[in-house]
């Protein structure tokens, strides 16, 4: 049985958790609470005071982190030990932005330079009007999120993103584009992913029908398999490389970020990397008790496993950060949605929270009813930005005040309303993250914060955050069922599978 920690650590935490006052009581008793539970680094301020924490509980949690070896595991990851043991790989996304002299960091810097040179050339070419990134999962969600987040910093060609095998996605992306002025980026670590390769082939035919053999001039590949990309036809000087020591969901800082570089330019992309590096340094060198990603992970761990809160809502009060929840769904849940410990035994506790959410204030008019009055307690990560990214400062004030008000309403509630339907129980936890601005640098800091929190959560859960075997079975079944869907022999599955195929085919 995989244990998250020595049971005496866990018992101490449970005892401390049992003594946690309500948030209303905690704030009434301690005017300095926010100051004591908030931490700043770079352009980020994080306030954990509206979580169910006491000094006693936080100290027990930090001791737990120490007991499970978070510092040693962190150092082993950063050093390049083979910490992804189930796949026998290093986990070195930090080398993508470290600027160190390690072999991986030097390889990464060389590819970032190649990507920057290619981006400069294409951005300067008046014949390039649009970029279409074709990729899925980690080869899509990071670039989509960052491209949107950096809307105010874009000065390059229009970028569109295609991920889904649904033909509607590529159809929509190609609408209004000219094959002679569009650059396609085939983004795939493996260069075998069914959705990406099918969409890339369709795009190749679309360009080839106009440009003939010159189609290849319009294609870039970002991949850990440059030989496959070259065989597919992408010219070698347009194949940008990353490596198996970069997980797909941790790959934004690699050449997978190329479409972002096209949109904002290499200098701003370098700022994004600098922001990530700054958070990496904080994570590597700051004591556990004031280490923001570690504290964020401890809060996620205690909410999930001790307070039995199975989900966490991420609500960015920034329209430009609207894709952050989707990005974090893959980062957190593909990493930590596991039930077998790193020792190969079934875990006896909960693992990853279910991550969900949407931009505020929109979410207030959709799911906040449940957050305030539902039967389940859902911890929230509120994310706000101090500097407006839009043109209306008054609207930005209204946006941010809504976030601050929601956190207070969740914490304090209105427990004594005259009518039961109007009672807000309160005592609902949240974390507030306030960025100074939505610059490339701040964005890099918050992305790296979540990357490191995800890794620490995995260590606390006692699992390997860096494999993703759970995505394989469905892919295998889809491959085995395709002949049946196209009129061939029945594939695997149940009578329900047969019924669905039959119903589909009788259209
Ligand atoms: O969904 C599974 C997955 O392997 C992700 O981990 C990955 O980000 C995505 O597919 C895309 O993979 P690739 O970049 O190899 O096309």
């Amino acid at each position: 049985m995989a244990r998250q920690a020595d049971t005496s650590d866990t018992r101490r935490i449970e005892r401390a958790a049992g003594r946690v006052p309500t948030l209303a009581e905690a704030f009434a008793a301690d005017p300095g609470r926010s100051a004591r539970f908030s931490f700043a680094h770079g352009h980020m301020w994080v306030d954990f005071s509206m979580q169910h924490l006491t000094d006693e509980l936080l100290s027990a949690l930090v001791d737990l982190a120490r007991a499970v070896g978070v510092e040693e595991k962190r150092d082993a990851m950063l050093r390049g030990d083979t910490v992804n043991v189930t796949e026998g790989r290093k986990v070195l996304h930090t080398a993508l932005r470290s600027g160190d002299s390690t072999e991986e960091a030097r390889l990464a810097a060389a590819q970032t330079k190649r990507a920057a040179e290619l981006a400069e050339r294409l951005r300067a070419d008046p014949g390039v009007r649009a970029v279409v990134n074709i990729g899925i999962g980690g080869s899509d969600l990071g670039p989509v999120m960052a491209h949107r987040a950096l809307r105010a910093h874009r000065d390059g060609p229009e970028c569109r993103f295609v991920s889904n095998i649904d033909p509607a996605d590529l159809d929509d992306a190609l609408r209004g584009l000219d094959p002679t002025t569009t650059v396609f980026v085939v983004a795939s670590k493996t260069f075998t992913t069914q959705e990406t390769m099918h969409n890339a082939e369709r795009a190749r035919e679309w360009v080839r029908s106009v440009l003939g053999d010159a189609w290849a001039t319009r294609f870039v590949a970002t991949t850990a398999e440059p030989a496959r990309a070259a065989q597919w036809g992408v010219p070698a000087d347009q194949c940008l490389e990353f490596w198996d020591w970069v997980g797909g969901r941790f790959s934004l800082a690699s050449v997978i970020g190329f479409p972002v570089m096209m949109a904002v330019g290499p200098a701003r992309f370098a700022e994004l990397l600098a922001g990530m590096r700054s958070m990496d340094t904080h994570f590597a060198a700051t004591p556990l008790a004031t280490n923001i990603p570690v504290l964020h992970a401890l809060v996620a761990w205690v909410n999930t496993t001790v307070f039995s809160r199975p989900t966490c809502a991420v609500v960015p009060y920034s329209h430009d950060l609207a894709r952050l929840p989707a990005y974090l769904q893959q980062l957190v849940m593909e990493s930590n949605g596991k039930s077998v410990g790193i020792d190969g035994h079934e875990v006896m506790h909960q693992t990853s929270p279910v991550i969900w959410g949407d931009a505020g204030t929109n979410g207030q008019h959709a799911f906040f009813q449940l957050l305030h009055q539902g039967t389940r307690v859902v911890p929230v990560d509120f994310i706000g930005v101090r500097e407006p990214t839009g043109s209306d400062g008054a609207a930005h004030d209204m946006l941010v005040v809504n976030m601050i008000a929601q956190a207070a309403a969740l914490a304090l509630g209105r427990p004594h309303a005259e009518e039961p339907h109007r009672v807000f129980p309160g005592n609902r936890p949240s974390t507030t993250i306030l960025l100074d601005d939505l610059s490339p640098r701040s964005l890099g800091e918050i992305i790296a914060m979540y990357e490191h929190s995800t890794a620490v959560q995995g260590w606390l859960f006692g699992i390997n955050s860096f494999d993703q075997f759970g995505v394989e079975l469905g892919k295998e079944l889809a491959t085995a069922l395709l002949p049946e869907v196209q009129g061939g022999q029945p594939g695997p599955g149940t009578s329900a599978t047969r019924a669905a195929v039959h119903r589909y085919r009788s259209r």
Side-chain angles (χ1 to χ4, degrees):
M1 173 183 108
R3 283 195 322 214
Q4 66 224 52
D6 187 271
T7 44
S8 63
D9 294 308
T10 321
R11 269 203 300 275
R12 190 176 143 218
I13 288 167
E14 280 165 357
R15 273 199 307 275
R19 287 196 279 266
V20 164
T22 66
L23 291 168
E25 290 164 349
F27 277 100
D30 178 7
R33 181 173 171 83
S34 172
R36 281 191 308 109
F37 288 110
S38 57
F39 303 86
H41 174 76
H43 300 72
M44 184 190 302
W45 175 79
V46 186
D47 186 356
F48 297 108
S49 66
M50 284 177 278
Q51 292 288 347
H52 287 124
L53 292 176
T54 55
D55 290 331
E56 181 195 14
L57 178 55
L58 190 56
S59 143
L61 288 169
V62 169
D63 287 348
L64 169 79
R66 203 165 288 118
V68 304
V70 162
E71 288 153 312
E72 292 79 4
K73 288 176 164 61
R74 172 195 64 192
D75 295 348
M77 181 182 84
L78 298 175
R79 196 166 54 225
D81 291 4
T82 305
V83 298
N84 177 359
V85 289
T86 54
E87 296 182 304
R89 290 177 180 172
K90 303 174 185 186
V91 175
L92 273 176
H93 44 277
T94 46
L96 298 169
R97 59 253 187 171
S98 71
D100 284 350
S101 55
T102 63
E103 187 196 343
E104 288 85 2
R106 279 191 282 112
L107 284 170
Q111 289 298 320
T112 305
K113 185 161 174 284
R114 287 187 67 220
E117 284 162 4
L118 182 58
E120 291 289 22
R121 173 161 73 76
L122 294 172
R123 279 163 54 88
D125 182 344
V128 174
R129 303 261 168 77
V131 175
V132 177
N133 189 77
I134 301 177
I136 196 165
S139 300
D140 170 70
L141 290 161
V144 167
M145 177 274 294
H147 174 262
R148 178 149 178 182
L150 299 179
R151 177 189 54 81
H153 302 271
R154 288 187 220 143
D155 59 3
E158 180 190 0
C159 288
R160 300 183 185 184
F161 295 86
V162 175
S163 54
N164 206 322
I165 189 65
D166 186 333
D169 200 4
L170 183 61
D171 291 351
D172 195 39
L174 295 184
R175 187 161 302 125
L177 296 187
D178 176 345
T180 65
T181 59
T182 302
V183 167
F184 289 89
V185 181
V186 185
S188 177
K189 182 175 167 183
T190 55
F191 227 76
T192 57
T193 302
Q194 185 192 51
E195 295 93 327
T196 300
M197 297 322 299
H198 187 86
N199 281 326
E201 279 153 27
R202 272 189 66 201
R204 182 171 61 182
E205 287 320 302
W206 186 69
V207 179
R208 203 195 320 246
S209 68
V210 177
L211 288 184
D213 285 346
W215 69 268
T217 60
R218 304 280 98 184
F219 277 72
V220 173
T222 53
T223 182
E225 297 288 347
R228 282 188 196 144
Q231 198 182 9
W232 193 82
V234 180
D237 63 338
Q238 288 169 202
C239 288
L240 303 172
E241 192 179 356
F242 66 112
W243 307 270
D244 71 359
W245 39 266
V246 179
R249 52 195 174 274
F250 296 89
S251 65
L252 176 63
S254 76
V255 295
I256 285 292
F258 184 70
V260 182
M261 208 186 253
M262 285 295 295
V264 303
R268 293 190 187 100
F269 191 80
E271 276 293 298
L272 178 87
L273 299 190
M276 297 179 107
R277 182 164 60 245
S278 160
M279 183 53 70
D280 296 344
T281 305
H282 168 85
F283 176 55
T286 308
L288 296 181
T290 52
N291 191 310
I292 293 172
V294 171
L295 294 171
H296 186 271
L298 287 168
V299 165
W301 180 88
V302 78
N303 277 333
T304 309
T305 63
V306 177
F307 293 121
S308 302
R309 294 160 185 158
T311 89
C312 177
V314 177
V315 188
Y317 275 69
S318 160
H319 209 63
D320 292 332
L321 282 174
R323 295 293 289 167
L324 186 67
Y327 167 76
L328 292 179
Q329 283 182 327
Q330 188 203 18
L331 178 65
V332 178
M333 295 201 284
E334 194 167 274
S335 297
N336 293 337
K338 318 260 166 81
S339 51
V340 172
I342 199 155
D343 58 2
H345 293 97
E346 194 182 342
V347 295
M348 304 303 285
H349 49 80
Q350 297 298 323
T351 58
S352 180
V354 175
I355 302 293
W356 61 285
D358 198 359
T361 60
N362 292 11
Q364 291 176 203
H365 302 274
F367 52 83
F368 270 56
Q369 166 66 41
L370 181 149
L371 298 186
H372 286 287
Q373 289 189 316
T375 50
R376 295 173 190 83
V377 173
V378 179
V380 183
D381 271 9
F382 287 109
I383 298 154
V385 182
R386 292 173 63 204
E387 196 64 38
T389 52
S391 52
D392 179 346
H396 188 259
D397 287 347
M398 286 191 264
L399 174 72
V400 175
V401 80
N402 266 282
M403 179 187 80
I404 296 169
Q406 289 294 334
L410 285 166
L412 300 177
R414 190 196 286 137
H416 304 301
E418 278 170 17
E419 215 246 299
H421 294 102
R422 294 177 196 275
V423 167
F424 289 70
N427 200 28
R428 301 198 165 202
S430 65
T431 295
T432 297
I433 301 176
L434 211 45
L435 302 177
D436 286 346
D437 54 26
L438 201 41
S439 61
R441 199 177 173 99
S442 308
L443 183 68
E445 289 172 6
I446 191 169
I447 294 168
M449 195 286 288
Y450 273 108
E451 285 181 347
H452 298 320
S453 170
T454 301
V456 176
Q457 288 177 52
W459 297 327
L460 295 166
F461 293 136
I463 58 175
N464 177 14
S465 300
F466 305 111
D467 62 17
Q468 57 284 316
F469 296 114
V471 301
E472 297 303 331
L473 179 60
K475 285 190 210 171
E476 282 167 27
L477 287 184
T479 305
L481 280 167
L482 189 58
E484 180 181 353
V485 165
Q486 294 176 335
Q489 289 298 307
T494 66
S495 59
T497 318
R498 302 285 86 70
V501 172
H502 177 75
R503 179 82 186 169
Y504 173 71
R505 280 189 52 76
S506 35
R507 70 190 190 275

